[in-house]
Amino acid sequence: MGNLNISTVTELSGSRIILEAFLQEGVHTVFGYPGGAIIPIYDALYDYKDQLEHILVRHEQAAVHAAQGLARVSGSVGVVMATSGPGATNLVTGLADALLDNTPIVCITGQVFEHLLGTDAFQEIDVMNVTSPVTKWNYQVTDANELPEVLAKAFYIAKSGRPGPVLIDVTKNAQLQQVSYTGYSPCHSLRSYKPDPVPSMENIEKAAELINNAERPFIIAGQGIMLGKAEKEFVQFAEKSGVPVAWTALGMSAIPTDHPQAVGMVGMHGNYGPNILTNQCDVLIAVGMRFDDRVTGRLDQYAKQAKIIHLDIDKAEINKNVKVDAPVLGNCKETLPLLTSLVRKKEHPDWHQKFKDCLEVESLNLINDELYPTEEEITMGEVIRYLNEITMGKAVIVTDVGQHQMVTCRYSDFKLPRTNITSGGLGTMGFCLPAAIGAAYGERNLPIIAVMGDGGAQMNIQELGTVMQYHPEVKILILNNSYLGMVRQWQELFHEERYSFVDIQSPEFVQVAKGYNIPGKKVTQREELEDALREMLHHKGAFLLEVMTGKKHNVFPMIPQGKSVSEIVLNHKQ
């Protein structure tokens, strides 16, 4: 079926209007799960098989995570469809994850007939009130005449400004209703919604003056750089200013990790130098990040000596957690070139040397033992080291949540932007596998590696069925330490080793994968590791590799809860 001629007035059902909107918005892939209240849309989808690829996930939460994976690697809007009642409520965790990580998603949910609203009909739930706290915008459609305008708004709101998830709830009568359709017009502005603030040249000039006069300036790169598609502009700014660059977990890959000015990750399990030197810099330049508590540690002891420059698109983030001296509102794709034009070219060699000295301390006390262990047990760090050597930093790495996530973020090499995909703000276990499936549809032509722990692997393990049915090229790497490792680490360090319900038993993952026609292998010895990783990466199609790692390894460095970034510790003894 070809696209409708939008100059022609024709009769269309609400269901077909929705699908036409997807096509006009450039959507190629939809993740969903059918049910009674959304059957009309799925019936219409039968005629769009050659234009829209629908991926039948095994749980609605996974549909949102898959849409997130696609959106994060491609920069486009992810699309989800689900039915009413439990179908809609199953979306909530994914929506919350997308909201906190600013991922553009449009979800279409079916709803009972309009005359049944409020009657506690079968599979009726108040989706508007349920999803309002976890969406950027939500709206219920009861008349198909509204659909073209509402859908155009939905895509515009989801992807503009600070992106986020949007949910449109469509009653069954509106899906079936035949209305006159004159075409679809994408939305480019809304009267009451101003997503892109006009930059203040006065503030940009103030920021440039602070940078030009600084002796110890320090950049923290956040995900806003990639959301604004400003990676090129950011690197140009960094290189001209000569300032050391660190990143948040979500800001990783905004600049190549091997860039001469790259100094590592900030935050609770970030690198030693970027954390302690945060409290020694004289100007802190935060680009597209929100001063999350896992980054700042104790706020009353965070960068108090420094002048703070904050580039952000969302006014609500300015002065929310950290008092800012020079706020630069706007899309960093626009504001960074303006700032770059005003900063003087510098190199700051003595300041860079301090970061190098800190890295040497961290390497001697921690990194070398993590990447090149001499003990018998395999470490998560050495697994990531081998991945780096094989992929050369050119792969999409999707992680779940826990110790493996922090190790992977700490040690992975990233040469390309939008290749580090993880659940940051919400920390959703079970995120990884469906997000990796979605990333496989992001058209990046890169290996997709899903790194997860044995706990998170079991939270959405049913999505192996999605892999079996659609054959995405996903490499599943389970780092199995036979514990809920991050919780166990906290119980060891802060709760007197009272290990309460963290000793998790797992199935034979390779056998489970075999049941889904996915080949796999289990590694227990270091001598097998490199060859097994190469086999996984070179295998055509999906592959599951389980690696047994040390049961009681901890992730360091660590900023203990309630401590400042200056109090980061390198090992258990400290």
Side-chain angles (χ1 to χ4, degrees):
M1 169 179 287
N3 286 358
L4 294 167
N5 184 337
I6 62 173
S7 66
T8 303
V9 178
T10 188
E11 285 270 314
L12 277 191
S13 68
S15 296
R16 284 190 60 186
I17 290 172
I18 291 169
L19 302 179
E20 287 293 328
F22 290 171
L23 295 177
Q24 294 298 321
E25 291 287 352
V27 175
H28 302 292
T29 307
V30 178
F31 303 93
Y33 203 98
I38 200 169
I39 282 178
I41 298 177
Y42 273 87
D43 180 65
L45 186 60
Y46 188 88
D47 295 323
Y48 285 74
K49 290 178 181 177
D50 60 338
Q51 295 166 282
L52 289 169
E53 182 173 18
H54 179 278
I55 305 302
L56 177 66
V57 295
R58 299 314 193 251
H59 190 285
E60 291 89 353
Q61 178 189 343
V64 186
H65 293 328
Q68 287 178 274
L70 184 152
R72 294 268 289 274
V73 300
S74 69
S76 58
V77 178
V79 176
V80 174
M81 297 200 306
T83 193
S84 63
T89 58
N90 280 345
L91 299 175
V92 170
T93 297
L95 291 170
D97 195 285
L99 183 70
L100 285 177
D101 285 352
N102 308 126
T103 309
I105 302 289
V106 170
C107 293
I108 306 295
T109 51
Q111 183 55 278
V112 300
F113 284 93
E114 181 184 11
H115 72 273
L116 292 175
L117 291 173
T119 69
D120 295 333
F122 177 67
Q123 292 193 333
E124 183 208 354
I125 200 74
D126 184 354
V127 175
M128 292 296 96
N129 279 318
V130 168
T131 62
S132 180
V134 292
T135 52
K136 187 177 176 183
W137 183 57
N138 67 357
Y139 189 84
Q140 186 173 76
V141 175
T142 59
D143 184 340
N145 287 291
E146 287 189 282
L147 280 168
E149 181 180 356
V150 168
L151 290 165
K153 286 182 181 179
F155 277 91
Y156 174 63
I157 291 171
K159 65 187 176 183
S160 61
R162 183 176 182 173
V166 169
L167 184 141
I168 305 301
D169 193 44
V170 187
T171 58
K172 200 166 184 179
N173 56 286
Q175 298 172 43
L176 293 165
Q177 182 183 359
Q178 297 282 331
V179 297
S180 296
Y181 179 74
T182 57
Y184 181 84
S185 299
C187 180
H188 300 292
S189 65
L190 292 171
R191 185 175 62 183
S192 59
Y193 171 61
K194 306 298 179 188
D196 293 310
V198 177
S200 163
M201 281 308 300
E202 180 181 351
N203 286 352
I204 291 173
E205 289 168 0
K206 182 178 180 181
E209 183 180 4
L210 288 172
I211 295 168
N212 288 333
N213 293 331
E215 295 182 1
R216 300 180 307 282
F218 180 38
I219 295 171
I220 300 179
Q223 188 190 200
I225 295 165
M226 287 170 284
L227 294 176
K229 298 179 173 63
E231 298 92 341
K232 179 182 176 182
E233 291 80 0
F234 175 70
V235 171
Q236 289 173 342
F237 165 69
E239 290 180 345
K240 184 177 181 184
S241 66
V243 178
V245 178
W247 46 78
T248 65
L250 291 182
M252 185 177 295
S253 81
I255 188 171
T257 52
D258 63 351
H259 190 281
Q261 290 168 238
V263 296
M265 185 172 73
V266 294
M268 179 174 281
H269 293 289
N271 291 97
Y272 181 62
N275 276 302
I276 66 167
L277 295 178
T278 294
N279 279 359
Q280 295 182 33
C281 69
D282 56 2
V283 173
L284 179 60
I285 307 154
V287 186
M289 54 86 76
R290 57 187 176 86
F291 292 109
D292 177 80
D293 62 292
R294 289 296 173 103
V295 167
T296 64
R298 284 187 58 169
L299 279 170
D300 63 348
Q301 295 180 24
Y302 182 77
K304 291 299 180 181
Q305 80 294 338
K307 297 292 186 182
I308 309 291
I309 300 168
H310 192 180
L311 285 76
D312 206 285
I313 200 167
D314 186 357
K315 187 177 181 180
E317 290 299 333
I318 304 297
N319 294 316
K320 185 179 85 173
N321 294 328
V322 173
K323 182 171 171 38
V324 175
D325 297 281
V328 179
L329 269 176
N331 188 328
C332 56
K333 191 171 184 68
E334 182 180 0
T335 57
L336 279 170
L338 295 172
L339 186 57
T340 303
S341 68
L342 297 176
V343 299
R344 293 196 290 270
K345 186 164 181 62
K346 290 189 175 183
E347 294 183 354
H348 302 287
D350 294 340
W351 178 229
H352 276 280
Q353 187 60 47
K354 284 189 174 292
F355 287 91
K356 294 175 183 176
D357 293 342
C358 287
L359 179 60
E360 185 174 351
V361 170
E362 186 177 353
S363 297
L364 290 173
N365 285 276
L366 175 67
I367 294 176
N368 292 343
D369 289 338
E370 283 284 321
L371 300 187
Y372 302 93
T374 55
E375 61 186 79
E376 183 177 340
E377 294 179 317
I378 297 172
T379 67
M380 295 182 183
E382 67 179 311
V383 178
I384 302 306
R385 173 174 65 84
Y386 280 123
L387 275 185
N388 291 335
E389 292 173 2
I390 299 167
T391 66
M392 305 296 289
K394 294 181 179 180
V396 174
I397 307 291
V398 187
T399 47
D400 211 78
V401 172
Q403 288 180 318
H404 73 276
Q405 175 192 31
M406 291 296 98
V407 170
T408 304
C409 286
R410 280 180 49 77
Y411 296 124
S412 289
D413 292 337
F414 292 100
K415 299 288 181 66
L416 303 170
R418 293 184 173 275
T419 49
N420 174 49
I421 312 300
T422 196
S423 172
L426 195 63
T428 305
M429 289 178 70
F431 169 87
C432 179
L433 180 55
I437 292 169
Y441 293 90
E443 300 179 354
R444 288 295 296 272
N445 197 30
L446 292 168
I448 310 291
I449 306 171
V451 184
M452 61 192 78
D454 45 314
Q458 295 181 71
M459 283 210 171
N460 270 316
I461 198 168
Q462 77 284 340
E463 295 310 313
L464 291 174
T466 308
V467 176
M468 174 183 67
Q469 184 167 351
Y470 296 98
H471 311 290
E473 290 264 349
V474 174
K475 314 304 180 184
I476 302 163
L477 176 59
I478 300 176
L479 303 181
N480 187 348
N481 59 7
S482 304
Y483 269 116
L484 298 176
M486 189 61 83
V487 182
R488 187 211 57 76
Q489 177 171 335
W490 280 57
Q491 289 176 347
E492 176 188 344
L493 299 180
F494 309 118
H495 295 274
E496 301 176 337
E497 299 184 15
R498 290 161 57 88
Y499 298 131
S500 182
F501 301 102
V502 290
D503 188 351
I504 186 170
Q505 294 186 5
S506 299
E508 287 291 337
F509 288 112
V510 174
Q511 293 302 313
V512 173
K514 185 178 180 181
Y516 287 99
N517 296 325
I518 298 169
K521 178 172 281 191
K522 183 175 182 176
V523 169
T524 59
Q525 302 296 321
R526 175 169 291 115
E527 295 75 24
E528 307 168 323
L529 180 59
E530 183 178 2
D531 286 345
L533 286 167
R534 290 186 183 277
E535 180 182 355
M536 176 189 76
L537 288 167
H538 295 152
H539 178 80
K540 184 171 177 57
F543 192 97
L544 185 146
L545 178 63
E546 178 184 10
V547 179
M548 303 304 295
T549 62
K551 288 189 69 170
K552 292 194 174 183
H553 289 173
N554 290 328
V555 182
F556 287 102
M558 182 177 186
I559 303 170
Q561 191 173 33
K563 301 293 186 179
S564 76
V565 292
S566 298
E567 297 174 282
I568 188 170
V569 295
L570 286 169
N571 53 52
H572 188 230
K573 295 176 183 178
Q574 290 183 311

